[in-house]
Amino acid sequence: MAAFEYRQAQEVRDAFARHGVRYLFIGKSGAILLGYPDTTQDADLFVEKSTANGDATVGALRELGFELSEAQAEEIRRGKDFIQLKNGPFDLDLVFAPDGIERFEDAWRRRVDVEGFPVCSIDDIIASKRAANRAKDRESLNRLEAFREYLKRRD
């Protein structure tokens, strides 16, 4: 699959807004929206876990062109911890329980708004990658921490 593009982030933002979904961009896609110079193959979304928000998410995803089976739709409605979607116009990971972040509400309070994109703070993105402790996450931590320092100096 090709790299995730800004246009796709806009489509997610707009469809999720129309359906009233509460979510945050997280992971490398979130860092990229903050200005991190890299690419990613998919978007990672931290979605608030509630039945109503799950219903709204299913509607928004179907509007975007994701062909969700009823089993996938039910996993989204109940907020399964991690769901990978490869059955739509781009790859999308839904994360209802990211490593390193206790509660959606806490991350929501720390979020950064970037041109209408709700994005996890760089601190939360780094905390999540550190807690996940996957090889690819460990490899990117030094660069993400350097980017965090750049953001602090800039602001």
Side-chain angles (χ1 to χ4, degrees):
M1 175 71 55
F4 186 74
E5 300 173 7
Y6 184 80
R7 171 188 55 78
Q8 293 161 330
Q10 290 174 310
E11 292 170 3
V12 168
R13 177 195 63 199
D14 296 347
F16 277 42
R18 283 190 293 276
H19 288 264
V21 178
R22 283 193 19 123
Y23 74 101
L24 296 162
F25 281 90
I26 193 170
K28 202 184 284 186
S29 59
I32 290 167
L33 289 170
L34 293 173
Y36 182 64
D38 207 339
T39 60
T40 187
Q41 299 304 304
D42 58 13
D44 302 309
L45 304 179
F46 179 11
V47 182
E48 182 180 45
K49 187 174 182 173
S50 75
T51 303
N53 201 53
D55 284 337
T57 302
V58 168
L61 291 169
R62 286 184 168 146
E63 177 185 320
L64 284 166
F66 284 88
E67 297 176 15
L68 303 176
S69 67
E70 196 45 49
Q72 285 175 315
E74 187 52 38
E75 288 178 343
I76 294 166
R77 287 184 187 106
R78 70 178 165 82
K80 181 181 174 187
D81 286 355
F82 180 79
I83 302 167
Q84 262 188 330
L85 298 176
K86 295 184 178 288
N87 54 356
F90 47 85
D91 291 350
L92 191 62
D93 292 345
L94 302 177
V95 186
F96 289 89
D99 294 322
I101 302 173
E102 289 294 318
R103 297 176 340 121
F104 180 86
E105 208 51 52
D106 296 335
W108 183 259
R109 278 194 303 278
R110 295 185 294 261
R111 78 187 180 281
V112 179
D113 181 272
V114 180
E115 299 176 9
F117 296 103
V119 182
C120 277
S121 72
I122 191 65
D123 290 333
D124 281 342
I125 291 169
I126 289 170
S128 178
K129 290 212 169 276
R130 181 171 284 120
N133 200 30
R134 299 176 302 184
K136 69 179 188 174
D137 294 327
R138 288 190 305 269
E139 186 272 330
S140 66
L141 274 174
N142 286 340
R143 291 190 325 274
L144 283 166
E145 288 168 345
F147 178 67
R148 174 174 55 191
E149 292 309 310
Y150 161 78
L151 290 176
K152 286 180 183 177
R153 285 191 310 274
R154 185 189 74 184
D155 295 340

